[in-house]
C-alpha cells in the first residue's frame, strides 16, 4: 500500500519478514537511508524567466524598485496570462522532475502569477493535472493575493478575491475538480496590508483552506502576530519578524517556513532561525523556487540554512523533512521513517547523511535512489560507478 511496514535493526526485520517475498531488494551497504525531503514553499507555475532582472539586482536595484518599474511579479504575470494551460503543465512537470531528482518527494505548489480569476484557475488546474500525472507529492496553494493587479487598489483586489475567486474555488473543490490545500497572501507594505490580509485569510479558512502565507519579509508588518491569532498553519519569510511575533508563533504552534535562497539572492538580512528555535518555534525550510529565486535543490537550501542562518545540520534536516511536512499539515504521513507513514525515502551514496548538506551542489552525484510510496522513481547510475564518499 506504499506505506512503511517496519523500521529497525536488520536482523530483527530479516526474522520478521523471513517468509516474505519482495519484488526488489536494494543493497544499502555503506549507504544511508533518509526520509524524502519536503519543500514547504515553491512557485513552480509560470512562463517567462527573469534572468535579465538578476543583472539589475546585481547592479544594486532592490526588489521593490524592480517591482514598481513593471518588473518582478508583474512581468511574470503578463507572460503567464499568455501561456496555455498545457504549456504551464509541461514546464511545471519538468521543474517537479528536477526537484524530485534533488530529493524532494513532497512539494508545496502555489498559484499567484495570474491575479485574475481565470488565470489563477488555469494555474491551479495545471497543478491539479501535475498532481495526478507525476510521482511527486503536491500540496496545492491558492495565492491570488500575490500582488495587486494593475488598475486596482488593494481593497478592490481584496473584495474581488473574497466575492469572486474564493466562492468559485469552493465550488470547484466541492465538485472534486480541483484540490486546494492552502491559502496564501503576500502581506507587505505596498502590496496587501494587515487588514486586507486578515480578510482574505479568514475567508479562505472559512472554505476549509489551511492558512499558509508570506509575512514580514521586507518590512515589519506584524504578520506573525496576525497568523498566530488566526490559527495559521505556517508563515513564510519572516526576515523582519518582531520578537513578539516569534513568541506568538511558538505559542500557536505556527510553523516558520524560512527561505534562505531569497535572503541570499536579494541580499536581505537573514531570518532569525536561532532565535526562533530557542523560543520553540517549529522551523521549516523551503526553496522558494520562483523566477526571482531559481533553486530546485533542498540540499542546497539546507546548506545555506546552516551557513547563513546558523542552523545545525540536524536542525536543517528536521526543517526539510518532518517540520516542513508539519507546515503543510502532512506530518502524520510524511517527513520521517516511521511504521505506517508513506514510503518516501532517499538512499544516498555515503554512510554519513551529513554529506547531503556538506557537499554544496553535490546532490547530483550523491542521491542514489529516490523512492515514493515504496517504488523507485529515480535511480542515479552515476552513483554506482563511484565508491561511497
Amino acid at each position: 500500500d506504499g506505506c512503511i511496514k517496519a523500521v529497525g535493526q536488520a536482523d530483527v526485520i530479516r526474522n520478521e519478514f523471513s517468509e516474505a517475498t519482495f519484488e526488489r531488494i536494494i543493497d544499502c551497504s555503506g549507504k544511508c537511508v533518509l526520509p524524502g525531503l519536503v519543500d514547504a514553499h515553491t512557485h513552480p507555475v509560470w512562463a517567462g524567466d527573469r534572468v535579465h532582472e538578476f543583472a539589475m539586482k546585481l547592479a544594486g536595484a532592490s526588489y521593490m524598485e524592480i517591482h514598481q518599474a513593471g518588473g518582478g511579479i508583474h512581468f511574470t504575470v503578463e507572460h503567464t496570462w499568455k501561456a496555455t494551460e498545457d504549456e504551464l503543465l509541461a514546464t511545471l512537470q519538468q521543474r517537479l522532475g528536477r526537484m524530485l531528482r534533488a530529493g524532494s518527494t513532497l512539494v508545496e505548489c502555489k498559484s499567484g502569477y495570474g491575479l485574475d480569476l481565470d488565470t489563477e484557475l488555469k494555474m491551479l488546474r495545471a497543478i491539479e493535472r501535475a498532481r495526478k500525472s507525476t510521482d511527486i507529492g503536491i500540496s496545492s496553494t491558492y495565492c491570488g493575493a500575490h500582488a495587486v493587479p494593475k488598475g486596482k487598489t488593494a481593497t478592490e483586489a481584496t473584495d474581488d478575491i473574497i466575492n469572486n475567486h474564493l466562492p468559485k474555488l469552493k465550488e470547484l473543490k466541492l465538485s472534486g475538480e480541483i484540490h486546494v490545500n492552502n491559502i496564501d497572501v503576500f502581506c507587505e507594505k505596498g502590496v496587501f496590508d494587515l487588514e486586507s490580509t486578515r480578510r482574505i485569510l479568514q475567508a479562505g479558512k472559512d472554505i476549509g483552506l489551511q492558512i499558509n502565507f508570506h509575512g514580514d519579509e521586507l518590512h515589519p508588518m506584524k504578520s506573525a502576530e496576525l497568523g498566530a491569532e488566526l490559527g495559521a498553519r505556517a508563515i513564510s519569510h519572516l526576515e523582519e519578524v518582531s520578537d513578539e511575533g516569534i513568541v506568538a508563533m511558538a505559542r500557536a504552534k505556527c510553523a516558520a517556513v524560512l527561505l534562505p535562497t531569497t535572503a541570499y539572492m536579494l541580499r536581505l538580512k537573514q531570518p532569525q532561525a536561532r532565535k526562533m528555535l530557542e523560543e520553540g518555534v517549529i522551523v521549516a525550510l523551503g526553496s522558494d523556487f520562483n523566477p526571482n529565486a531559481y533553486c530546485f535543490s533542498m540540499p542546497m537550501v539546507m546548506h545555506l540554512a546552516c551557513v547563513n542562518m546558523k542552523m545545525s545540520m540536524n536542525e536543517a534536516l528536521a526543517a526539510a523533512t518532518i517540520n516542513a511536512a508539519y507546515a503543510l499539515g502532512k506530518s502524520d504521513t510524511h517527513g520521517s521513517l516511521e511504521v505506517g507513514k508513506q514510503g518516501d525515502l532517499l538512499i544516498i551514496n555515503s554512510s554519513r547523511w551529513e554529506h547531503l548538506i556538506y557537499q554544496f551542489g553535490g546532490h547530483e552525484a550523491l542521491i542514489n535512489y529516490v523512492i515514493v510510496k515504496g517504488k523507485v522513481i529515480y535511480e542515479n547510475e552515476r552513483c554506482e560507478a563511484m565508491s561511497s564518499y
Side-chain angles (χ1 to χ4, degrees):
D1 61 1
C3 294
I4 296 169
K5 287 285 171 280
V7 178
Q9 295 296 328
D11 54 354
V12 175
I13 289 178
R14 274 198 197 99
N15 288 337
E16 189 183 338
F17 291 90
S18 58
E19 304 300 311
T21 54
F22 297 94
E23 58 189 61
R24 182 157 189 197
I25 293 173
I26 299 171
D27 183 355
C28 294
S29 306
K31 299 187 179 184
C32 198
V33 183
L34 290 165
L37 303 177
V38 180
D39 189 341
H41 184 123
T42 82
H43 301 257
V45 191
W46 45 270
D49 67 44
R50 303 215 297 259
V51 67
H52 60 287
E53 288 181 10
F54 189 50
M56 292 165 71
K57 286 187 206 106
L58 296 178
S62 75
Y63 177 86
M64 286 312 275
E65 282 165 355
I66 292 169
H67 185 74
Q68 280 152 3
I73 292 171
H74 290 304
F75 176 88
T76 305
V77 166
E78 280 177 35
H79 284 75
T80 307
W81 276 345
K82 293 171 190 163
T84 67
E85 187 183 310
D86 286 346
E87 287 167 342
L88 293 176
L89 175 65
T91 52
L92 171 59
Q93 287 172 326
Q94 285 175 341
R95 290 164 187 164
L96 291 171
R98 289 178 72 177
M99 291 174 183
L100 188 79
R101 291 191 292 278
S104 293
T105 55
L106 173 62
V107 175
E108 184 260 9
C109 297
K110 302 178 190 292
S111 71
Y113 293 113
L115 309 185
D116 63 27
L117 178 57
D118 287 347
T119 317
E120 287 295 312
L121 290 178
K122 177 171 71 174
M123 296 177 76
L124 289 170
R125 284 194 178 97
I127 293 170
E128 181 66 18
R129 286 170 67 188
R131 195 175 69 77
K132 289 175 176 165
S133 61
T134 55
D135 295 299
I136 202 164
I138 289 176
S139 177
S140 173
T141 301
Y142 163 75
C143 185
H146 197 199
V148 177
K150 287 179 178 172
K152 278 195 168 135
T153 65
T155 306
E156 286 166 344
T158 301
D159 290 342
D160 184 36
I161 288 165
I162 291 169
N163 298 328
N164 299 312
H165 292 214
L166 291 175
K168 184 66 180 172
L169 218 54
K170 182 181 180 183
E171 178 193 315
L172 293 171
K173 263 182 62 135
L174 287 171
S175 71
E177 196 177 319
I178 292 179
H179 292 78
V180 183
N181 305 98
N182 316 289
I183 183 154
D184 191 351
V185 176
F186 187 15
C187 181
E188 184 54 73
K189 193 173 172 185
V191 192
F192 288 92
D193 65 15
L194 209 61
E195 195 44 47
S196 297
T197 301
R198 177 195 295 277
R199 288 179 59 209
I200 295 168
L201 293 177
Q202 186 60 55
K205 188 179 179 182
D206 290 345
I207 65 164
L209 300 177
Q210 293 180 130
I211 296 175
N212 187 336
F213 71 111
H214 291 60
D216 295 327
E217 178 185 359
L218 305 171
H219 299 90
M221 298 286 294
K222 295 204 180 316
S223 302
E225 291 91 327
L226 174 68
E229 179 198 327
L230 292 178
R233 168 57 65 163
I235 306 170
S236 291
H237 283 293
L238 300 165
E239 287 86 351
E240 297 287 344
V241 69
S242 69
D243 291 350
E244 296 77 16
I246 291 173
V247 170
M249 285 180 72
R251 277 204 202 110
K253 293 191 166 45
C254 171
V257 179
L258 305 185
L259 309 168
T261 49
T262 316
Y264 165 72
M265 291 189 193
L266 294 178
R267 296 169 173 160
L268 304 174
K269 84 178 184 200
Q270 295 287 331
Q272 300 177 73
R274 287 258 51 87
K275 186 172 177 62
M276 292 179 194
L277 288 161
E278 281 153 19
E279 292 287 352
V281 175
I282 297 160
V283 172
L285 289 170
S287 67
D288 196 16
F289 172 77
N290 73 73
N292 172 59
Y294 205 102
C295 176
F296 294 106
S297 165
M298 285 304 289
M300 292 177 86
V301 168
M302 289 190 279
H303 178 100
L304 289 171
C306 293
V307 174
N308 290 342
M309 300 196 312
K310 301 181 172 60
M311 290 174 76
S312 72
M313 286 192 283
N314 287 18
E315 288 165 343
L317 181 65
T321 53
I322 190 70
N323 290 2
Y326 175 88
L328 302 178
K330 299 259 193 185
S331 53
D332 54 340
T333 52
H334 293 71
S336 59
L337 302 180
E338 295 181 72
V339 173
K341 284 198 172 184
Q342 190 166 302
D344 291 6
L345 39 132
L346 311 182
I347 299 170
I348 66 166
N349 193 30
S350 170
S351 58
R352 292 195 55 163
W353 69 266
E354 290 92 342
H355 273 276
L356 198 60
I357 297 176
Y358 163 66
Q359 293 187 25
F360 189 49
H363 57 274
E364 289 182 354
L366 187 64
I367 294 173
N368 202 162
Y369 298 90
V370 179
I371 294 166
V372 175
K373 294 183 183 171
K375 288 203 166 25
V376 175
I377 303 304
Y378 170 61
E379 184 172 349
N380 186 352
E381 272 110 30
R382 271 182 294 187
C383 291
E384 300 309 328
M386 303 167 84
S387 59
S388 180
Y389 287 92

